[in-house]
Amino acid sequence: VYNHHIVQRNLGHSTPVQSMKEWYRKKPELFKKRVYDHSGLDTFGKLNDHCLFFGLPGNPVSVMATFLLFARAAILKLRGETMIELPEYSAICDTHLQKAPGRKDYQRGVCHLDVQGQWHIRSTGMQGSHILSSMSTANCFIALPLLAGDVKAGETVNIIPFHELL
């Protein structure tokens, strides 16, 4: 749910997170986790025994990444699916990737297999969460670990190809 999709009047002119905190205070049994208001952290919860909700971020690329990497797995598990995790493959990075250590990052990339069967990856360019063109030209996520910094061309990274989603 985007913040701008919720009519603030319906929430008593509170933000969605403030409303969620109030609901948690009144009915904690409806939630699997306590609601926190941390930047970059989105809200997932349980409304009742039959209804979960996923609070997706507001930027288009963040919504797609959060849904594909997290909400999708939860929905598949609820359906009884057994193959819910997306496979990651090792790939040689053909371009320099910028990343600050301290958070796991899923950058957009274009991957391909070379004639020896080795995955290669290149960045789609600017990685801002508001840059939808980077998602429209990507065919994979580049999964960069929490403690990793910049990646130099020639180094190995993990990728999650989108063809695995079909």
Side-chain angles (χ1 to χ4, degrees), residues 1-22:
V1 175
Y2 290 125
N3 285 344
H4 65 273
H5 285 162
I6 299 174
V7 178
Q8 296 299 304
R9 180 181 47 211
N10 294 342
L11 298 176
H13 300 285
S14 298
T15 67
V17 169
Q18 289 170 328
S19 296
M20 295 289 295
K21 283 181 170 182
E22 181 63 22

Side-chain angles (χ1 to χ4, degrees), residues 12-89:
H13 300 285
S14 298
T15 67
V17 169
Q18 289 170 328
S19 296
M20 295 289 295
K21 283 181 170 182
E22 181 63 22
W23 295 335
Y24 177 82
R25 189 183 65 72
K26 290 179 180 176
K27 295 209 172 236
E29 69 275 7
L30 299 179
F31 294 80
K32 286 198 178 237
K33 293 184 177 180
R34 185 170 175 200
V35 178
Y36 293 97
D37 188 7
H38 297 288
S39 64
L41 192 63
D42 299 301
T43 306
F44 298 83
K46 180 178 176 183
L47 295 177
N48 58 45
D49 287 338
H50 306 289
C51 185
L52 296 177
F53 68 88
F54 302 94
L56 299 175
N59 287 319
V61 174
S62 297
V63 168
M64 287 186 265
T66 302
F67 180 82
L68 292 173
L69 296 168
F70 304 107
R72 175 192 163 277
I75 292 167
L76 290 175
K77 185 169 185 166
L78 288 170
R79 286 181 26 188
E81 302 282 337
T82 56
M83 299 292 293
I84 60 172
E85 296 297 321
L86 292 170
E88 291 189 18
Y89 301 96

Side-chain angles (χ1 to χ4, degrees), residues 110-130:
V110 177
C111 63
H112 72 276
L113 282 169
D114 67 15
V115 293
Q116 288 84 27
Q118 170 65 55
W119 284 104
H120 284 260
I121 185 69
R122 68 172 173 78
S123 173
T124 58
M126 293 176 49
Q127 294 291 314
S129 60
H130 64 288

